PDB file of all heavy atoms in Angstrom:
ATOM      1  N   LYS S   1     117.456 116.975 107.033  1.00  0.00           N
ATOM      2  CA  LYS S   1     116.516 117.802 107.808  1.00  0.00           C
ATOM      3  C   LYS S   1     115.230 118.096 107.051  1.00  0.00           C
ATOM      4  O   LYS S   1     114.252 118.548 107.630  1.00  0.00           O
ATOM      5  CB  LYS S   1     117.182 119.142 108.171  1.00  0.00           C
ATOM      6  CG  LYS S   1     118.323 119.033 109.160  1.00  0.00           C
ATOM      7  CD  LYS S   1     118.827 120.425 109.487  1.00  0.00           C
ATOM      8  CE  LYS S   1     120.038 120.391 110.393  1.00  0.00           C
ATOM      9  NZ  LYS S   1     120.580 121.750 110.579  1.00  0.00           N
ATOM     10  N   ALA S   2     115.263 117.904 105.739  1.00  0.00           N
ATOM     11  CA  ALA S   2     114.073 118.204 104.935  1.00  0.00           C
ATOM     12  C   ALA S   2     114.073 117.330 103.691  1.00  0.00           C
ATOM     13  O   ALA S   2     115.120 116.882 103.226  1.00  0.00           O
ATOM     14  CB  ALA S   2     114.046 119.681 104.545  1.00  0.00           C
ATOM     15  N   LEU S   3     112.878 117.103 103.179  1.00  0.00           N
ATOM     16  CA  LEU S   3     112.706 116.328 101.956  1.00  0.00           C
ATOM     17  C   LEU S   3     111.749 117.072 101.035  1.00  0.00           C
ATOM     18  O   LEU S   3     110.675 117.507 101.468  1.00  0.00           O
ATOM     19  CB  LEU S   3     112.129 114.946 102.288  1.00  0.00           C
ATOM     20  CG  LEU S   3     111.710 114.084 101.083  1.00  0.00           C
ATOM     21  CD1 LEU S   3     112.932 113.602 100.312  1.00  0.00           C
ATOM     22  CD2 LEU S   3     110.870 112.889 101.532  1.00  0.00           C
ATOM     23  N   ILE S   4     112.153 117.226  99.795  1.00  0.00           N
ATOM     24  CA  ILE S   4     111.246 117.782  98.780  1.00  0.00           C
ATOM     25  C   ILE S   4     110.719 116.598  97.981  1.00  0.00           C
ATOM     26  O   ILE S   4     111.486 115.837  97.388  1.00  0.00           O
ATOM     27  CB  ILE S   4     111.965 118.786  97.861  1.00  0.00           C
ATOM     28  CG1 ILE S   4     112.515 119.961  98.679  1.00  0.00           C
ATOM     29  CG2 ILE S   4     111.017 119.288  96.767  1.00  0.00           C
ATOM     30  CD1 ILE S   4     113.456 120.881  97.907  1.00  0.00           C
ATOM     31  N   LEU S   5     109.414 116.451  98.007  1.00  0.00           N
ATOM     32  CA  LEU S   5     108.752 115.362  97.304  1.00  0.00           C
ATOM     33  C   LEU S   5     108.217 115.905  95.994  1.00  0.00           C
ATOM     34  O   LEU S   5     107.352 116.790  95.995  1.00  0.00           O
ATOM     35  CB  LEU S   5     107.596 114.861  98.182  1.00  0.00           C
ATOM     36  CG  LEU S   5     107.096 113.440  98.023  1.00  0.00           C
ATOM     37  CD1 LEU S   5     108.196 112.437  98.310  1.00  0.00           C
ATOM     38  CD2 LEU S   5     105.907 113.207  98.964  1.00  0.00           C
ATOM     39  N   ARG S   6     108.718 115.413  94.887  1.00  0.00           N
ATOM     40  CA  ARG S   6     108.233 115.880  93.585  1.00  0.00           C
ATOM     41  C   ARG S   6     107.089 114.969  93.165  1.00  0.00           C
ATOM     42  O   ARG S   6     107.302 113.867  92.657  1.00  0.00           O
ATOM     43  CB  ARG S   6     109.373 115.872  92.572  1.00  0.00           C
ATOM     44  CG  ARG S   6     110.562 116.698  93.058  1.00  0.00           C
ATOM     45  CD  ARG S   6     111.292 117.371  91.933  1.00  0.00           C
ATOM     46  NE  ARG S   6     110.489 118.400  91.306  1.00  0.00           N
ATOM     47  CZ  ARG S   6     110.764 118.954  90.124  1.00  0.00           C
ATOM     48  NH1 ARG S   6     111.845 118.588  89.461  1.00  0.00           N
ATOM     49  NH2 ARG S   6     109.998 119.882  89.614  1.00  0.00           N
ATOM     50  N   SER S   7     105.887 115.447  93.408  1.00  0.00           N
ATOM     51  CA  SER S   7     104.690 114.617  93.266  1.00  0.00           C
ATOM     52  C   SER S   7     104.054 114.793  91.885  1.00  0.00           C
ATOM     53  O   SER S   7     104.494 115.588  91.062  1.00  0.00           O
ATOM     54  CB  SER S   7     103.694 115.008  94.355  1.00  0.00           C
ATOM     55  OG  SER S   7     103.346 116.372  94.195  1.00  0.00           O
ATOM     56  N   TYR S   8     102.986 114.038  91.668  1.00  0.00           N
ATOM     57  CA  TYR S   8     102.251 114.122  90.399  1.00  0.00           C
ATOM     58  C   TYR S   8     101.241 115.270  90.432  1.00  0.00           C
ATOM     59  O   TYR S   8     100.674 115.580  91.486  1.00  0.00           O
ATOM     60  CB  TYR S   8     101.467 112.829  90.149  1.00  0.00           C
ATOM     61  CG  TYR S   8     102.280 111.555  90.191  1.00  0.00           C
ATOM     62  CD1 TYR S   8     101.867 110.481  90.983  1.00  0.00           C
ATOM     63  CD2 TYR S   8     103.428 111.398  89.424  1.00  0.00           C
ATOM     64  CE1 TYR S   8     102.584 109.286  91.018  1.00  0.00           C
ATOM     65  CE2 TYR S   8     104.158 110.215  89.449  1.00  0.00           C
ATOM     66  CZ  TYR S   8     103.732 109.156  90.247  1.00  0.00           C
ATOM     67  OH  TYR S   8     104.443 107.990  90.274  1.00  0.00           O
ATOM     68  N   GLY S   9     100.999 115.856  89.268  1.00  0.00           N
ATOM     69  CA  GLY S   9      99.880 116.793  89.099  1.00  0.00           C
ATOM     70  C   GLY S   9      99.776 117.862  90.162  1.00  0.00           C
ATOM     71  O   GLY S   9     100.707 118.635  90.389  1.00  0.00           O
ATOM     72  N   VAL S  10      98.629 117.894  90.847  1.00  0.00           N
ATOM     73  CA  VAL S  10      98.384 118.936  91.854  1.00  0.00           C
ATOM     74  C   VAL S  10      98.870 118.523  93.245  1.00  0.00           C
ATOM     75  O   VAL S  10      98.443 119.077  94.253  1.00  0.00           O
ATOM     76  CB  VAL S  10      96.887 119.348  91.911  1.00  0.00           C
ATOM     77  CG1 VAL S  10      96.464 120.057  90.638  1.00  0.00           C
ATOM     78  CG2 VAL S  10      95.991 118.145  92.212  1.00  0.00           C
ATOM     79  N   GLY S  11      99.771 117.539  93.281  1.00  0.00           N
ATOM     80  CA  GLY S  11     100.344 117.146  94.569  1.00  0.00           C
ATOM     81  C   GLY S  11      99.950 115.753  95.007  1.00  0.00           C
ATOM     82  O   GLY S  11      99.847 115.472  96.197  1.00  0.00           O
ATOM     83  N   ASN S  12      99.742 114.858  94.035  1.00  0.00           N
ATOM     84  CA  ASN S  12      99.306 113.501  94.350  1.00  0.00           C
ATOM     85  C   ASN S  12     100.484 112.535  94.429  1.00  0.00           C
ATOM     86  O   ASN S  12     101.511 112.720  93.772  1.00  0.00           O
ATOM     87  CB  ASN S  12      98.315 113.012  93.287  1.00  0.00           C
ATOM     88  CG  ASN S  12      97.083 113.901  93.225  1.00  0.00           C
ATOM     89  OD1 ASN S  12      96.560 114.297  94.263  1.00  0.00           O
ATOM     90  ND2 ASN S  12      96.647 114.241  92.025  1.00  0.00           N
ATOM     91  N   ALA S  13     100.293 111.496  95.244  1.00  0.00           N
ATOM     92  CA  ALA S  13     101.304 110.454  95.410  1.00  0.00           C
ATOM     93  C   ALA S  13     100.584 109.125  95.560  1.00  0.00           C
ATOM     94  O   ALA S  13      99.402 109.087  95.899  1.00  0.00           O
ATOM     95  CB  ALA S  13     102.149 110.747  96.655  1.00  0.00           C
ATOM     96  N   PRO S  14     101.288 108.008  95.332  1.00  0.00           N
ATOM     97  CA  PRO S  14     100.621 106.715  95.493  1.00  0.00           C
ATOM     98  C   PRO S  14     100.100 106.521  96.923  1.00  0.00           C
ATOM     99  O   PRO S  14     100.797 106.873  97.872  1.00  0.00           O
ATOM    100  CB  PRO S  14     101.703 105.689  95.164  1.00  0.00           C
ATOM    101  CG  PRO S  14     102.966 106.429  94.949  1.00  0.00           C
ATOM    102  CD  PRO S  14     102.680 107.882  94.910  1.00  0.00           C
ATOM    103  N   GLN S  15      98.917 105.983  97.039  1.00  0.00           N
ATOM    104  CA  GLN S  15      98.358 105.698  98.378  1.00  0.00           C
ATOM    105  C   GLN S  15      98.898 104.351  98.860  1.00  0.00           C
ATOM    106  O   GLN S  15      98.151 103.414  99.117  1.00  0.00           O
ATOM    107  CB  GLN S  15      96.835 105.721  98.343  1.00  0.00           C
ATOM    108  CG  GLN S  15      96.274 107.114  98.522  1.00  0.00           C
ATOM    109  CD  GLN S  15      94.782 107.100  98.748  1.00  0.00           C
ATOM    110  OE1 GLN S  15      94.027 106.533  97.959  1.00  0.00           O
ATOM    111  NE2 GLN S  15      94.313 107.709  99.818  1.00  0.00           N
ATOM    112  N   ASP S  16     100.191 104.308  98.983  1.00  0.00           N
ATOM    113  CA  ASP S  16     100.904 103.104  99.414  1.00  0.00           C
ATOM    114  C   ASP S  16     101.139 103.232 100.918  1.00  0.00           C
ATOM    115  O   ASP S  16     101.759 104.195 101.375  1.00  0.00           O
ATOM    116  CB  ASP S  16     102.221 103.037  98.626  1.00  0.00           C
ATOM    117  CG  ASP S  16     103.099 101.873  99.020  1.00  0.00           C
ATOM    118  OD1 ASP S  16     103.409 101.743 100.216  1.00  0.00           O
ATOM    119  OD2 ASP S  16     103.502 101.116  98.119  1.00  0.00           O
ATOM    120  N   LYS S  17     100.636 102.266 101.676  1.00  0.00           N
ATOM    121  CA  LYS S  17     100.713 102.374 103.138  1.00  0.00           C
ATOM    122  C   LYS S  17     102.144 102.509 103.633  1.00  0.00           C
ATOM    123  O   LYS S  17     102.423 103.263 104.568  1.00  0.00           O
ATOM    124  CB  LYS S  17     100.050 101.143 103.779  1.00  0.00           C
ATOM    125  CG  LYS S  17      98.535 101.233 103.779  1.00  0.00           C
ATOM    126  CD  LYS S  17      97.908 100.036 104.447  1.00  0.00           C
ATOM    127  CE  LYS S  17      96.377 100.131 104.377  1.00  0.00           C
ATOM    128  NZ  LYS S  17      95.752  98.898 104.879  1.00  0.00           N
ATOM    129  N   ALA S  18     103.065 101.778 102.999  1.00  0.00           N
ATOM    130  CA  ALA S  18     104.471 101.818 103.440  1.00  0.00           C
ATOM    131  C   ALA S  18     105.080 103.194 103.173  1.00  0.00           C
ATOM    132  O   ALA S  18     105.832 103.722 104.000  1.00  0.00           O
ATOM    133  CB  ALA S  18     105.273 100.729 102.732  1.00  0.00           C
ATOM    134  N   ILE S  19     104.736 103.811 102.023  1.00  0.00           N
ATOM    135  CA  ILE S  19     105.252 105.161 101.699  1.00  0.00           C
ATOM    136  C   ILE S  19     104.684 106.181 102.682  1.00  0.00           C
ATOM    137  O   ILE S  19     105.411 107.021 103.217  1.00  0.00           O
ATOM    138  CB  ILE S  19     104.929 105.545 100.232  1.00  0.00           C
ATOM    139  CG1 ILE S  19     105.807 104.730  99.272  1.00  0.00           C
ATOM    140  CG2 ILE S  19     105.129 107.050  99.998  1.00  0.00           C
ATOM    141  CD1 ILE S  19     105.506 104.938  97.799  1.00  0.00           C
ATOM    142  N   LEU S  20     103.383 106.097 102.944  1.00  0.00           N
ATOM    143  CA  LEU S  20     102.750 107.040 103.875  1.00  0.00           C
ATOM    144  C   LEU S  20     103.313 106.881 105.292  1.00  0.00           C
ATOM    145  O   LEU S  20     103.553 107.872 105.984  1.00  0.00           O
ATOM    146  CB  LEU S  20     101.232 106.860 103.870  1.00  0.00           C
ATOM    147  CG  LEU S  20     100.527 107.259 102.556  1.00  0.00           C
ATOM    148  CD1 LEU S  20      99.062 106.841 102.571  1.00  0.00           C
ATOM    149  CD2 LEU S  20     100.654 108.753 102.280  1.00  0.00           C
ATOM    150  N   ALA S  21     103.583 105.636 105.688  1.00  0.00           N
ATOM    151  CA  ALA S  21     104.177 105.387 107.014  1.00  0.00           C
ATOM    152  C   ALA S  21     105.581 105.970 107.089  1.00  0.00           C
ATOM    153  O   ALA S  21     105.995 106.526 108.116  1.00  0.00           O
ATOM    154  CB  ALA S  21     104.207 103.887 107.293  1.00  0.00           C
ATOM    155  N   CYS S  22     106.308 105.871 105.986  1.00  0.00           N
ATOM    156  CA  CYS S  22     107.669 106.418 105.906  1.00  0.00           C
ATOM    157  C   CYS S  22     107.640 107.943 106.054  1.00  0.00           C
ATOM    158  O   CYS S  22     108.459 108.533 106.779  1.00  0.00           O
ATOM    159  CB  CYS S  22     108.262 106.004 104.570  1.00  0.00           C
ATOM    160  SG  CYS S  22     109.935 106.528 104.305  1.00  0.00           S
ATOM    161  N   LEU S  23     106.676 108.584 105.395  1.00  0.00           N
ATOM    162  CA  LEU S  23     106.559 110.042 105.465  1.00  0.00           C
ATOM    163  C   LEU S  23     106.087 110.491 106.851  1.00  0.00           C
ATOM    164  O   LEU S  23     106.502 111.538 107.351  1.00  0.00           O
ATOM    165  CB  LEU S  23     105.606 110.548 104.379  1.00  0.00           C
ATOM    166  CG  LEU S  23     106.087 110.320 102.933  1.00  0.00           C
ATOM    167  CD1 LEU S  23     104.982 110.669 101.938  1.00  0.00           C
ATOM    168  CD2 LEU S  23     107.342 111.136 102.638  1.00  0.00           C
ATOM    169  N   LYS S  24     105.236 109.668 107.475  1.00  0.00           N
ATOM    170  CA  LYS S  24     104.785 109.971 108.838  1.00  0.00           C
ATOM    171  C   LYS S  24     105.967 109.885 109.810  1.00  0.00           C
ATOM    172  O   LYS S  24     106.131 110.709 110.716  1.00  0.00           O
ATOM    173  CB  LYS S  24     103.679 108.992 109.243  1.00  0.00           C
ATOM    174  CG  LYS S  24     102.952 109.367 110.537  1.00  0.00           C
ATOM    175  CD  LYS S  24     101.684 108.529 110.697  1.00  0.00           C
ATOM    176  CE  LYS S  24     100.810 109.050 111.809  1.00  0.00           C
ATOM    177  NZ  LYS S  24     101.377 108.878 113.141  1.00  0.00           N
ATOM    178  N   LYS S  25     106.828 108.897 109.580  1.00  0.00           N
ATOM    179  CA  LYS S  25     108.021 108.737 110.422  1.00  0.00           C
ATOM    180  C   LYS S  25     108.943 109.946 110.262  1.00  0.00           C
ATOM    181  O   LYS S  25     109.538 110.425 111.234  1.00  0.00           O
ATOM    182  CB  LYS S  25     108.755 107.443 110.038  1.00  0.00           C
ATOM    183  CG  LYS S  25     109.915 107.094 110.976  1.00  0.00           C
ATOM    184  CD  LYS S  25     110.571 105.779 110.576  1.00  0.00           C
ATOM    185  CE  LYS S  25     111.605 105.988 109.498  1.00  0.00           C
ATOM    186  NZ  LYS S  25     112.332 104.770 109.121  1.00  0.00           N
ATOM    187  N   ALA S  26     109.032 110.460 109.030  1.00  0.00           N
ATOM    188  CA  ALA S  26     109.852 111.656 108.779  1.00  0.00           C
ATOM    189  C   ALA S  26     109.356 112.824 109.621  1.00  0.00           C
ATOM    190  O   ALA S  26     110.134 113.526 110.263  1.00  0.00           O
ATOM    191  CB  ALA S  26     109.816 112.021 107.296  1.00  0.00           C
ATOM    192  N   GLN S  27     108.045 113.011 109.628  1.00  0.00           N
ATOM    193  CA  GLN S  27     107.427 114.085 110.419  1.00  0.00           C
ATOM    194  C   GLN S  27     107.737 113.898 111.907  1.00  0.00           C
ATOM    195  O   GLN S  27     108.101 114.853 112.607  1.00  0.00           O
ATOM    196  CB  GLN S  27     105.908 114.049 110.151  1.00  0.00           C
ATOM    197  CG  GLN S  27     105.024 114.652 111.207  1.00  0.00           C
ATOM    198  CD  GLN S  27     104.844 116.148 111.042  1.00  0.00           C
ATOM    199  OE1 GLN S  27     105.384 116.753 110.137  1.00  0.00           O
ATOM    200  NE2 GLN S  27     104.112 116.759 111.939  1.00  0.00           N
ATOM    201  N   GLU S  28     107.640 112.665 112.382  1.00  0.00           N
ATOM    202  CA  GLU S  28     107.921 112.376 113.801  1.00  0.00           C
ATOM    203  C   GLU S  28     109.387 112.643 114.152  1.00  0.00           C
ATOM    204  O   GLU S  28     109.714 113.001 115.276  1.00  0.00           O
ATOM    205  CB  GLU S  28     107.540 110.921 114.125  1.00  0.00           C
ATOM    206  CG  GLU S  28     106.030 110.703 114.181  1.00  0.00           C
ATOM    207  CD  GLU S  28     105.617 109.241 114.045  1.00  0.00           C
ATOM    208  OE1 GLU S  28     106.518 108.370 113.914  1.00  0.00           O
ATOM    209  OE2 GLU S  28     104.400 108.962 114.060  1.00  0.00           O
ATOM    210  N   ASN S  29     110.258 112.463 113.152  1.00  0.00           N
ATOM    211  CA  ASN S  29     111.698 112.728 113.352  1.00  0.00           C
ATOM    212  C   ASN S  29     112.068 114.180 113.053  1.00  0.00           C
ATOM    213  O   ASN S  29     113.248 114.517 112.916  1.00  0.00           O
ATOM    214  CB  ASN S  29     112.543 111.791 112.473  1.00  0.00           C
ATOM    215  CG  ASN S  29     112.469 110.351 112.922  1.00  0.00           C
ATOM    216  OD1 ASN S  29     112.139 110.087 114.076  1.00  0.00           O
ATOM    217  ND2 ASN S  29     112.741 109.426 112.018  1.00  0.00           N
ATOM    218  N   GLU S  30     111.041 115.010 112.921  1.00  0.00           N
ATOM    219  CA  GLU S  30     111.214 116.446 112.642  1.00  0.00           C
ATOM    220  C   GLU S  30     111.983 116.702 111.340  1.00  0.00           C
ATOM    221  O   GLU S  30     112.847 117.566 111.248  1.00  0.00           O
ATOM    222  CB  GLU S  30     111.862 117.171 113.833  1.00  0.00           C
ATOM    223  CG  GLU S  30     110.993 117.113 115.083  1.00  0.00           C
ATOM    224  CD  GLU S  30     111.266 118.231 116.074  1.00  0.00           C
ATOM    225  OE1 GLU S  30     112.367 118.824 116.032  1.00  0.00           O
ATOM    226  OE2 GLU S  30     110.361 118.510 116.898  1.00  0.00           O
ATOM    227  N   ILE S  31     111.629 115.910 110.328  1.00  0.00           N
ATOM    228  CA  ILE S  31     112.124 116.150 108.964  1.00  0.00           C
ATOM    229  C   ILE S  31     110.961 116.789 108.204  1.00  0.00           C
ATOM    230  O   ILE S  31     109.877 116.206 108.109  1.00  0.00           O
ATOM    231  CB  ILE S  31     112.571 114.838 108.277  1.00  0.00           C
ATOM    232  CG1 ILE S  31     113.774 114.242 109.025  1.00  0.00           C
ATOM    233  CG2 ILE S  31     112.908 115.081 106.811  1.00  0.00           C
ATOM    234  CD1 ILE S  31     114.099 112.814 108.627  1.00  0.00           C
ATOM    235  N   ILE S  32     111.175 117.983 107.698  1.00  0.00           N
ATOM    236  CA  ILE S  32     110.109 118.704 106.991  1.00  0.00           C
ATOM    237  C   ILE S  32     109.961 118.105 105.598  1.00  0.00           C
ATOM    238  O   ILE S  32     110.944 117.980 104.867  1.00  0.00           O
ATOM    239  CB  ILE S  32     110.453 120.206 106.899  1.00  0.00           C
ATOM    240  CG1 ILE S  32     110.376 120.823 108.301  1.00  0.00           C
ATOM    241  CG2 ILE S  32     109.525 120.950 105.956  1.00  0.00           C
ATOM    242  CD1 ILE S  32     111.341 121.914 108.529  1.00  0.00           C
TER     243      ILE S  32
END
């Protein structure tokens, strides 16, 4: 139901299209 993303620095993550698409899909599936 939820995912905690442990990111770099002030909240940065790789600008990888596949990763961003995966996170967008999580939001669409109502995963916080």
Side-chain angles (χ1 to χ4, degrees):
K1 292 183 184 174
L3 172 70
I4 300 170
L5 205 60
R6 304 213 68 195
S7 61
Y8 306 129
V10 293
N12 300 318
Q15 274 191 306
D16 177 305
K17 282 182 182 173
I19 288 175
L20 293 171
C22 182
L23 295 172
K24 191 167 191 292
K25 187 178 85 177
Q27 157 86 0
E28 287 161 1
N29 291 338
E30 297 204 338
I31 296 167
I32 291 147

